[in-house]
Amino acid sequence: MGQVIAHRVLAGREVHVVLCSTGATSTAKDAINGLSGNSWWGWHHNPAREGYTPLSTDAFIDARDREYVAACGQLGVQPINVHIATGRSDSITGAWAETMIASYATMFPDAGHYTTWWGDIHPDHAALGPALKQLHAANPTRYADVRWLTKPAQAASAGASAYALPAASAAEWSRPPPILQCS
């Protein structure tokens, strides 16, 4: 979703993002703690050798939340517009997803709603798609701008194409910030 978020920010839109789950069931925690292989490194981490204490579930959730906020900031989302969903859990249910999306639609009535595709291989991601689909079907006026984003590897299965940041936006995004000099 990073390119879509960055594109909206570059277009001058007010962008809000919502983290919906704790991530406690993520396989990343086991990889970081050296309990499973890591596809990035091709080997197991070794916390003792690498100089850190294995992460507890709570420490992993806190680190993931900080990483999320920082990543959104790098995409240009204002910190006040980065939301950690109230009542989030280790896994997302369809009913909770509908309630959560509807609550943000109430707070931001003119917002578009973008979420993950219902066919995503991760069950938490997949739960968000049908929730937004149901809300759109029940009230297409309130949920007029709805989009389901897929991972590039799933685009063909979804009947979609991979999103690419438009060339003009990519050029703008890659330009270094101006250097301000005071005299």
Side-chain angles (χ1 to χ4, degrees):
M1 290 188 172
Q3 288 188 16
V4 173
I5 292 168
H7 185 201
R8 298 307 182 271
V9 169
L10 288 171
R13 295 189 68 182
E14 181 177 343
V15 176
H16 289 261
V17 292
V18 182
L19 181 60
C20 295
S21 75
T22 64
T25 61
S26 172
T27 58
K29 181 173 70 88
D30 286 347
I32 292 166
N33 287 340
L35 301 175
S36 66
N38 183 316
S39 62
W40 288 100
W41 299 101
W43 196 251
H44 292 292
H45 277 285
N46 183 326
R49 185 179 66 226
E50 295 172 35
Y52 63 91
T53 304
L55 294 173
S56 68
T57 298
D58 287 343
F60 177 78
I61 291 168
D62 290 344
R64 180 177 174 265
D65 289 355
R66 286 190 309 274
E67 178 185 46
Y68 176 78
V69 172
C72 289
Q74 290 298 309
L75 295 170
V77 179
Q78 298 298 316
I80 196 168
N81 293 352
V82 179
H83 309 280
I84 307 294
T86 303
R88 67 187 176 142
S89 68
D90 296 347
S91 60
I92 297 172
T93 65
W96 180 86
E98 272 193 55
T99 301
M100 185 273 309
I101 294 168
S103 72
Y104 282 95
T106 299
M107 288 189 286
F108 307 104
D110 298 326
H113 301 279
Y114 297 50
T115 192
T116 45
W117 174 54
W118 51 87
D120 193 289
I121 59 172
H122 192 288
D124 287 344
H125 300 174
L128 293 164
L132 182 56
K133 193 175 190 181
Q134 176 61 35
L135 289 166
H136 173 67
N139 191 342
T141 302
R142 182 172 198 169
Y143 299 94
D145 180 12
V146 295
R147 316 268 171 97
W148 294 269
L149 303 177
T150 64
K151 295 173 184 161
Q154 298 171 337
S157 299
S161 59
Y163 181 88
L165 191 63
S169 295
E172 174 69 23
W173 199 22
S174 64
R175 187 175 30 228
I179 298 172
L180 302 176
Q181 296 182 358
C182 297
S183 47

